[in-house]
Amino acid sequence: MNYREHINKLIRQKDLEQLLYKSAEFHGHICSFSAYGVKAACYAMNQLNLEHEGMEEVLAIVETNNCFSDGVQLVTGCTFGNNALIFYDLGKTAVTVASRANKQWIRLVLKASFWKSRAEIYPRLFELYENIVTKRKNVGPQVKKEFRQLGQNMASSELKVPEPEMFVITKGKAEPPRFAPIHKSVICSQCGESVMETRARLKEGQPYCLACAADRFFYMDGYGIGCREQV
Ligand SMILES: [Zn+2]
Ligand SMILES: [Zn+2]
């Protein structure tokens, strides 16, 4: 059973509108950056002639944790949970899609000049974005509705822009990253929770999870990747 057959079909048909709707099931709303993610990923999947069953045969390296990455996850099938999504915390609207089978990769990055030109084309939407998202101002339901609608309209129109106008596209061949390792689990002697062996620490011969050991661990939130000691 290929659970992604429907999505694979939409990719082959380049049905960006349907893929964007699908991505909204995952992302929660329709916006221009999820549309850019859908568009970049669909282009890459077709260029490399890829299908993905979520076993790391396709890899996506995203360079941002904004809306773009959700469009990429839906279309490439490379997700946070299946280890096929790799995150470089560079803050660029860019993705590299790579095939394990033939070692080919393709990178698409949103052109700075293209993004700059959008503010003149969608002035009202940019104004609302500034107030609602950046400044978190409390606007009425009517304005919120207008914001959502304009966002959807923009996303739809952006899907029609030819890819080379929107992205800088580069291709190459390289050794793909290693497969994700499989580790055993141990039981933390303090909290009794099961923890991946590589994330456990030994204290006087007893396994501790990083939380109970109050040891440093990496985390990711809206600010990017960080490191801290307290859960
Ligand atoms: Zn979004
Ligand atoms: Zn513990």
Side-chain angles (χ1 to χ4, degrees):
M1 170 105 189
N2 184 348
Y3 296 101
R4 285 182 46 86
E5 188 46 44
H6 178 57
I7 291 174
N8 290 336
K9 206 169 149 192
L10 293 175
I11 293 170
R12 285 193 299 271
Q13 294 168 342
K14 299 181 182 130
D15 191 338
L16 297 170
E17 199 75 39
Q18 282 306 312
L19 287 168
L20 183 61
Y21 274 108
K22 275 262 152 216
S23 83
E25 289 176 15
F26 180 58
H27 184 55
H29 60 258
I30 287 181
C31 63
S32 54
F33 275 78
S34 59
Y36 298 147
V38 163
K39 204 168 161 71
C42 185
Y43 184 83
M45 294 296 275
N46 275 311
Q47 284 282 312
L48 299 178
N49 196 20
L50 293 173
E51 291 198 355
H52 194 198
E53 290 185 26
M55 297 304 286
E56 295 183 50
E57 61 274 37
V58 179
L59 296 160
I61 303 166
V62 289
E63 299 177 25
T64 176
N65 56 338
N66 73 22
C67 303
F68 179 80
S69 294
D70 277 356
V72 169
Q73 287 191 76
L74 184 276
V75 175
T76 60
C78 299
T79 71
F80 186 63
N82 67 18
N83 288 133
L85 185 76
I86 298 169
F87 175 46
Y88 288 178
D89 195 2
L90 296 172
K92 294 184 186 180
T93 304
V95 61
T96 302
V97 179
S99 159
R100 241 185 228 294
N102 60 17
K103 302 178 172 46
Q104 287 186 328
W105 59 263
I106 180 165
R107 179 176 183 263
L108 296 98
V109 56
L110 194 69
K111 279 184 184 173
S113 56
F114 174 81
W115 178 241
K116 214 172 159 215
S117 70
R118 300 295 100 180
E120 291 148 36
I121 300 174
Y122 304 99
R124 174 68 176 154
L125 181 58
F126 273 67
E127 181 196 328
L128 293 178
Y129 185 90
E130 180 70 15
N131 287 334
I132 298 171
V133 182
T134 311
K135 295 182 181 157
R136 299 200 183 273
K137 270 191 195 164
N138 218 346
V139 294
Q142 211 48 40
V143 178
K144 264 191 191 158
K145 199 176 155 198
E146 185 195 356
F147 176 59
R148 258 199 311 273
Q149 193 55 54
L150 289 175
Q152 284 197 23
N153 295 352
M154 176 180 176
S156 265
S157 309
E158 297 293 76
L159 291 180
K160 297 182 186 78
V161 179
E163 287 84 357
E165 252 179 59
M166 187 179 268
F167 302 110
V168 177
I169 305 168
T170 44
K171 289 178 195 177
K173 226 173 164 176
E175 207 53 51
R178 298 173 296 173
F179 273 103
I182 308 294
H183 292 296
K184 280 190 253 167
S185 294
V186 297
I187 309 288
C188 172
S189 60
Q190 300 302 299
C191 65
E193 292 179 357
S194 180
V195 55
M196 196 197 291
E197 198 176 38
T198 53
R199 300 294 184 275
R201 298 287 175 266
L202 279 180
K203 276 191 171 183
E204 288 152 11
Q206 295 298 313
Y208 278 61
C209 72
L210 293 174
C212 291
D215 206 340
R216 277 149 49 97
F217 67 93
F218 293 105
Y219 68 94
M220 192 183 91
D221 64 11
Y223 291 86
I225 293 173
C227 190
R228 67 180 183 215
E229 288 173 7
Q230 289 295 316
V231 175

